[in-house]
Amino acid sequence: MLNIKKVREQFPYLKHGKIYFNHASTGPLCTPVLESIRKVLYEKSETNIDEYLGLQAVINETKTDLASLINTSPDRIAFVDNTTNGINILAAGLQLKHGDHVLLNDLEFPANVYPFLNLQRKGIVIDFVKSHDGIVSAEDIIQNIVPETKLVSISQVQFLTGYRVNLGKIGKVCREKDIFFSVDAIQGLGAVQLDVVKDNIDFVSAGSQKWLLGLQGLGFIYISEKLQENIDQDCIGWLSVEDAWNFLHYDLKLKKTADRYQGGTLNSIGIYALNASLKLFKQFNFSEIENQIINNSMYFIENLGKTRFKPIIQDVDPNNIAGIISFKDPDWKNIYDSLAKGNIDCSVRLGYVRMSPHFYNTKEEIDKVIDVLKQID
């Protein structure tokens, strides 16, 4: 069972009395991450300045941990700088022809939209599934698949409302119809688990700076072998090729692993940070973390429903809940300001007040937020 008190000791900001319910925007740095960064900065400034072998070991270990997190092998993981550029690898490279369709929905974060809209200039048709009351369900996606659909791309957890879609249902239909299936996992990973095998997912892109508690400027992709065979890789660097360290032997033979998408120098500080945060998650067990987050969210939803502010995902199955709880109100600025005065950190997106507590946040903190909301006229 999770020792929440022990977990909370790892987050320095808590000593200032702040209630941080904004992990869907940016995760705070925990002590293990801070210590890892300080150690690396010290070494790079005073001792092991060019410690390539040490970095490579951390890269390999971090990929192993990420692979375990989503049930794949490390050779299917590549580091990128952010979710958007990860998705661009897919959008720019997938072998599509004039008249092919890509299926999205009207509640996607733009990172999972613009790379595909850019394909319209090549005659690719982008279809949008219409949401209902802030929700796009698996059934909505499946019903909008047409014979010309070649790719479905969706967020694991919807950034605005917090709805967690049933990826397994979509993936099963995509596999049956020979459609590639892509998932933007930035609002899910670190909060809820993901299984690319069980859910028949071909591609994942996610940044590390939110629920995974890493740094901005580092993300990763997962790409299946089948999808990789159907990607025409536009961007290639010296580290994309098999014989990369034979500098003057210019042989454009790409690596067979996902490493081919790491064309040049990686964000080493970001990788060290992510490595440390993943160790924290492993220490407290990912399944227990997910249970804690869902329990927090259900408690939050139940008590928010007793106020005048009604959560968007109030009446959904627990399997469709992750870590985001939001409500829409025309007086959002006053609500946000009132919460800020109470040392409560959340965010506002398009008039939605969005709360996103993590596994180490407590029901007592949720109660304090509810008390502030009840006092708002």
Side-chain angles (χ1 to χ4, degrees), residues 32 46 111 118 151 180 185-186 204 241 254 267 299 315 319 348:
E46 297 196 31
N118 192 41
L151 172 72
F180 287 117
I186 195 170
V204 172
V241 300
L254 296 179
N267 178 355
Y299 182 80
D315 300 312
N319 290 322
V348 176

Side-chain angles (χ1 to χ4, degrees), residues 171-185:
K172 181 175 183 294
V173 172
C174 286
R175 185 57 51 91
E176 291 170 352
K177 295 180 178 291
D178 199 25
I179 296 168
F180 287 117
F181 185 28
S182 170
V183 174
D184 176 346

Side-chain angles (χ1 to χ4, degrees), residues 152-171:
V152 172
S153 191
I154 194 169
S155 292
Q156 180 185 14
V157 177
Q158 211 285 318
F159 84 101
L160 201 57
T161 65
Y163 183 80
R164 178 186 181 186
V165 73
N166 188 326
L167 297 174
K169 282 187 178 180
I170 301 172

Side-chain angles (χ1 to χ4, degrees), residues 232-249:
D232 290 327
Q233 188 172 340
D234 283 340
C235 295
I236 293 172
W238 73 280
L239 288 173
S240 300
V241 300
E242 289 281 6
D243 198 14
W245 289 90
N246 191 356
F247 299 128
L248 300 182
H249 179 63

Side-chain angles (χ1 to χ4, degrees), residues 123-296:
I124 309 304
V125 179
I126 311 301
D127 297 319
F128 285 91
V129 177
K130 184 173 176 54
S131 58
H132 302 282
D133 299 321
I135 291 173
V136 176
S137 68
E139 291 76 15
D140 293 330
I141 297 295
I142 292 166
Q143 290 169 8
N144 281 273
I145 291 175
V146 297
E148 296 81 12
T149 302
K150 303 301 179 185
L151 172 72
V152 172
S153 191
I154 194 169
S155 292
Q156 180 185 14
V157 177
Q158 211 285 318
F159 84 101
L160 201 57
T161 65
Y163 183 80
R164 178 186 181 186
V165 73
N166 188 326
L167 297 174
K169 282 187 178 180
I170 301 172
K172 181 175 183 294
V173 172
C174 286
R175 185 57 51 91
E176 291 170 352
K177 295 180 178 291
D178 199 25
I179 296 168
F180 287 117
F181 185 28
S182 170
V183 174
D184 176 346
I186 195 170
Q187 293 294 3
L189 287 180
V192 292
Q193 296 179 88
L194 180 65
D195 190 325
V196 298
V197 176
K198 180 174 70 71
D199 293 337
N200 293 301
I201 297 168
D202 297 291
F203 190 85
V204 172
S205 187
S208 66
Q209 76 273 20
K210 299 182 187 292
W211 299 93
L212 285 171
L213 306 177
L215 292 178
Q216 294 176 340
L218 181 75
F220 77 96
I221 62 168
Y222 154 79
I223 184 167
S224 68
E225 290 186 49
K226 179 183 177 182
L227 177 57
Q228 183 172 298
E229 292 170 358
N230 286 269
I231 292 284
D232 290 327
Q233 188 172 340
D234 283 340
C235 295
I236 293 172
W238 73 280
L239 288 173
S240 300
V241 300
E242 289 281 6
D243 198 14
W245 289 90
N246 191 356
F247 299 128
L248 300 182
H249 179 63
Y250 308 123
D251 183 9
L252 189 56
K253 183 180 180 181
L254 296 179
K255 292 175 179 174
K256 293 181 174 61
T257 69
D259 282 1
R260 62 167 56 189
Y261 302 107
Q262 298 172 173
T265 302
L266 298 173
N267 178 355
S268 61
I269 301 297
I271 292 170
Y272 278 104
L274 180 58
N275 181 270
S277 70
L278 289 173
K279 280 185 170 65
L280 178 77
F281 283 110
K282 287 170 64 179
Q283 179 183 350
F284 295 106
N285 189 298
F286 279 106
S287 61
E288 289 194 37
I289 287 170
E290 176 176 329
N291 290 336
Q292 180 71 17
I293 287 174
I294 292 175
N295 287 337
N296 275 346

